[in-house]
Structure formats: C-alpha cells, structure tokens
Amino acid sequence: MLDISAYLGLFLAALLAATILPLQSEAALVGLLLSDAFAPWALLLVATTGNVLGSVINWPLGRSLERFRDRRWFPVSASGLARAQRGYQRYGRWSLLLSWVPLIGDPLTVIAGTLREPLWSFLLLVTLAKGARYLVLAALTLGWF
C-alpha cells in the first residue's frame, strides 16, 4: 500500500506543479529516487505523466481565456497577454520545449492553448521537454553521468 501511496503522491505533486499553482515536484522525485525503494523508470513515468497532464489542464484554460480578458478580475493585463502571445508567435510551438522552466513554463502552456496550438503537437513537445527534465534530474541524483 505504501508503494501506491508514494506513486500517487508523486503523480499529484507533478500534476499540481504543472498547473498555475506554485508547487514543486522535483523534491518528491529526488526523495523517492534516493530511497532506493522504487524503480527509477517507474518514478520517471509517473512524474512525467502527472506533469504533462497538469500542462494539459492549462491548455483548455488557455483556449477559453480570451472570453474573459475584458473582465475586471482578469489576472493579466491586456498588454501583458498580448506580449505573451507575441512571444509565443515569434518562437512558435518550439517554445513549448521550455515548458519545464520554472515561472515561464506553466504560463507558456496556457498561452499555447490561447493561440490554439494543436493538441497533438502540444502533447509531443511538452512530453519531450518535461520527460527530459525528469530524466536529467534522475541521472544527476543517481550518478548516471
């Protein structure tokens, strides 16, 4: 039962960390890797899946964002949203390879939805970026380099 709880905890930490909530999943992954009680490949799969699904939550949020931009409670100014959209348009879908970067990655996945990035390319690039980040973190933690 402890195994399932650990994997579920890692999944939830990774999922929530990929949304606009200010959470980190790296510490959970490193802790579980260092415990030596879990297969590293399984931890990487769970963390990557959770983190990508968290980003997938951001994608439809972005798709529906435009209709709220003129509301007083909207958290981003019109100029800030326009600036983010211009940046995404400038670098295109390849900017999703930076979706793993703290502070800019989560908003980037929202903007991708706003600009109607196709889900297939969104999933491919975000999975590649986030999976590579966790793989490098595991490699550094376990001394694979």
Side-chain angles (χ1 to χ4, degrees):
M1 189 63 158
L2 180 61
D3 287 356
I4 293 171
S5 297
Y7 287 119
L8 181 61
L10 177 61
F11 177 83
L12 289 174
L15 180 121
L16 293 173
T19 65
I20 57 174
L21 298 174
L23 298 172
Q24 296 295 318
S25 58
E26 291 84 359
L29 177 60
V30 168
L32 291 170
L33 286 168
L34 291 175
S35 76
D36 208 27
F38 305 95
W41 66 267
L43 293 174
L44 290 172
L45 181 64
V46 167
T48 301
T49 302
N51 212 240
V52 169
L53 287 178
S55 292
V56 169
I57 291 170
N58 292 342
W59 184 79
L61 286 174
R63 291 183 68 88
S64 62
L65 196 64
E66 286 292 317
R67 70 179 139 157
F68 299 114
R69 90 175 340 176
D70 296 326
R71 304 281 171 94
R72 208 172 88 192
W73 52 263
F74 194 70
V76 180
S77 69
S79 64
L81 184 59
R83 187 171 51 254
Q85 289 173 332
R86 280 192 308 275
Y88 187 85
Q89 288 171 332
R90 180 177 181 192
Y91 298 106
R93 67 177 43 129
W94 300 109
S95 62
L96 287 171
L97 291 173
L98 298 175
S99 62
W100 65 272
V101 176
L103 299 177
I104 67 164
D106 300 337
L108 188 59
T109 59
V110 173
I111 293 299
T114 302
L115 294 174
R116 309 284 196 238
E117 181 66 41
L119 185 57
W120 70 268
S121 58
F122 177 88
L123 279 173
L124 179 69
L125 292 168
V126 169
T127 301
L128 180 63
K130 292 179 179 256
R133 179 221 15 220
Y134 284 128
L135 181 61
V136 168
L137 182 61
L140 291 171
T141 301
L142 298 175
W144 292 346
F145 292 136

